[in-house]
Amino acid sequence: MGLGMNLQQLRYIHEVARRGLNVSEAADALFTSQPGVSKQIRQLEAELGVEIFERHGKRLVAVTEPGRTVLVIAERVLRDLDNLQQVGDEFANEAVGSLSIATTHTQARYVLPGVVRDFMQRYPQVKLSLHQGNPRQVGEMVLDGTADLAIATEAIAEFDELVMLPCYQWNRCVVATPRHPILRETPLTLEAIARYPIITYDDAFTGRGLINKAFLGRGLKPNVVLSAIDSDVIKKYVELDLGIGILARMAYDADEDRRLGMVDASHLFESSTTRIGLRRRAWLRTYVYAFIEGFAPHLSRRMVETALAGGGTDPGL
């Protein structure tokens, strides 16, 4: 059996696993037929002498123990092949290509615009795309190949398959309508905040866990009346005087948010760290290193390459 056939089989089992063992969906994604996929999987199993998938009739219902090992190797081989293709692309033209970034609303809206502008001016022939989601979703986008890198806070650190590069630390502020008494609390306390209805981030977003942890540590139960997935929505409902908002400090702009008052709350909560997440051992184009350094100047190409080669995470900022 030739190398080309083996690679095709690896693509088939990888896609079937990605699609939750749905052979029909995998066949559609691979632009081939369902019987063709099933036949190639059977042939690979016969060659290896193990069953990769458990079956109930003709339906795949689970991955076997040896199948899990086979799938790990298949993913690694396919990723290395993709890296080989990217090496060719790099040397053919290092300033032409695409860069896909998965990130949260707060990063896309308040942190990335200047970085993206500078990058596009430097690399006008690179097609840049932004995919938004919660931190767990953006991590998954990198793992499944939808995105080249993820930028988010906290939750992406839960992915063992990603190399984490810490970028910067940030904290929170409280926003309210200009005459709200919370703005005159000196010093601001968690007890004072807990007296009012609160509007803040959804549990999946932007360090909400650290907000909950701070109140719990003081034996307080905050009255969160509304949670949202982005800062602009939170500010809009605070403007309607439906509650006070707990926001990422970067999301408040004194010029743009003139209808709101703000008081710093960094002394009340643990700092959060925004990180870049990359696939382990990924091979990156030159312009990807340039983007990373534009976003986090301390992350030089050498530092990123070292982290990727070791497959680890640099714990420091």
Side-chain angles (χ1 to χ4, degrees):
M1 195 171 292
L3 179 62
M5 182 67 73
N6 284 325
L7 292 177
Q8 184 184 56
Q9 290 168 343
L10 295 183
R11 289 191 180 96
Y12 284 5
I13 63 170
H14 175 69
E15 193 64 32
V16 166
R18 276 191 66 213
R19 302 280 170 174
L21 308 186
N22 189 314
V23 179
S24 178
E25 285 187 12
D28 289 343
L30 294 163
F31 304 103
T32 188
S33 68
Q34 182 174 339
V37 172
S38 297
K39 180 181 177 182
Q40 292 296 330
I41 292 174
R42 285 288 195 188
Q43 288 181 353
L44 179 59
E45 289 177 323
E47 181 170 312
L48 296 175
V50 298
E51 286 195 346
I52 298 169
F53 301 106
E54 293 179 17
R55 293 169 173 82
H56 182 74
K58 293 185 177 181
R59 191 163 57 89
L60 305 184
V61 294
V63 179
T64 65
E65 186 174 347
R68 286 194 290 271
T69 301
V70 171
L71 286 167
V72 168
I73 295 170
E75 183 178 1
R76 186 164 64 236
V77 170
L78 293 172
R79 187 186 304 132
D80 286 344
L81 285 171
D82 184 53
N83 286 345
L84 282 174
Q85 181 62 53
Q86 290 189 53
V87 170
D89 292 343
E90 170 81 1
F91 286 95
N93 194 332
E94 66 177 24
V96 176
S98 62
L99 174 57
S100 179
I101 299 163
T103 190
T104 60
H105 169 88
T106 298
Q107 301 294 330
R109 168 72 174 82
Y110 296 101
V111 184
L112 282 173
V115 179
V116 168
R117 179 199 61 219
D118 294 345
F119 178 83
M120 293 179 71
Q121 289 173 351
R122 183 176 175 185
Y123 294 96
Q125 290 183 279
V126 174
K127 181 181 178 183
L128 192 66
S129 56
L130 293 177
H131 303 274
Q132 291 188 71
N134 66 42
R136 174 156 289 279
Q137 288 169 337
V138 303
E140 289 169 349
M141 287 180 202
V142 174
L143 291 178
D144 68 19
T146 301
D148 299 302
L149 59 87
I151 300 174
T153 301
E154 262 87 40
I156 63 168
E158 299 170 7
F159 288 93
D160 292 336
E161 305 93 328
L162 296 181
V163 173
M164 297 300 163
L165 304 171
C167 300
Y168 66 93
Q169 290 186 323
W170 56 270
N171 215 302
R172 291 147 193 84
C173 65
V174 169
V175 294
T177 49
R179 296 185 179 181
H180 197 288
I182 195 67
L183 301 177
R184 297 189 292 276
E185 290 283 343
T186 307
L188 181 65
T189 64
L190 290 171
E191 286 78 6
I193 295 172
R195 289 198 295 266
Y196 302 100
I198 295 169
I199 303 170
T200 192
Y201 299 102
D202 181 82
D203 282 336
F205 279 80
T206 318
R208 170 68 185 275
L210 293 182
I211 295 175
N212 296 343
K213 180 181 177 182
F215 283 104
L216 186 63
R218 300 285 292 179
L220 300 169
K221 187 174 181 180
N223 179 23
V224 178
V225 294
L226 178 66
S227 58
I229 65 172
D230 72 61
S231 305
D232 292 337
V233 171
I234 293 171
K235 289 188 288 187
K236 177 56 68 176
Y237 284 97
V238 173
E239 285 180 15
L240 296 175
D241 209 15
L242 298 179
I244 61 176
I246 302 178
L247 282 180
R249 177 63 183 83
M250 70 190 88
Y252 177 83
D253 184 297
D255 293 328
E256 291 187 6
D257 299 318
R258 288 188 294 270
R259 290 190 286 184
L260 293 175
M262 184 275 291
V263 58
D264 184 78
S266 59
H267 60 293
L268 300 178
F269 304 101
E270 291 180 32
S271 294
S272 292
T273 301
T274 292
R275 295 176 172 88
I276 286 177
L278 299 163
R279 284 190 300 274
R280 291 181 183 276
R281 294 174 291 279
W283 191 89
L284 305 181
R285 304 282 298 272
T286 294
Y287 57 73
V288 181
Y289 289 106
F291 180 89
I292 292 171
E293 193 164 359
F295 182 75
H298 67 283
L299 293 177
S300 65
R301 177 168 184 159
R302 183 176 179 181
M303 288 183 64
V304 176
E305 286 178 334
T306 300
L308 290 175
T313 302
D314 178 2
L317 280 168

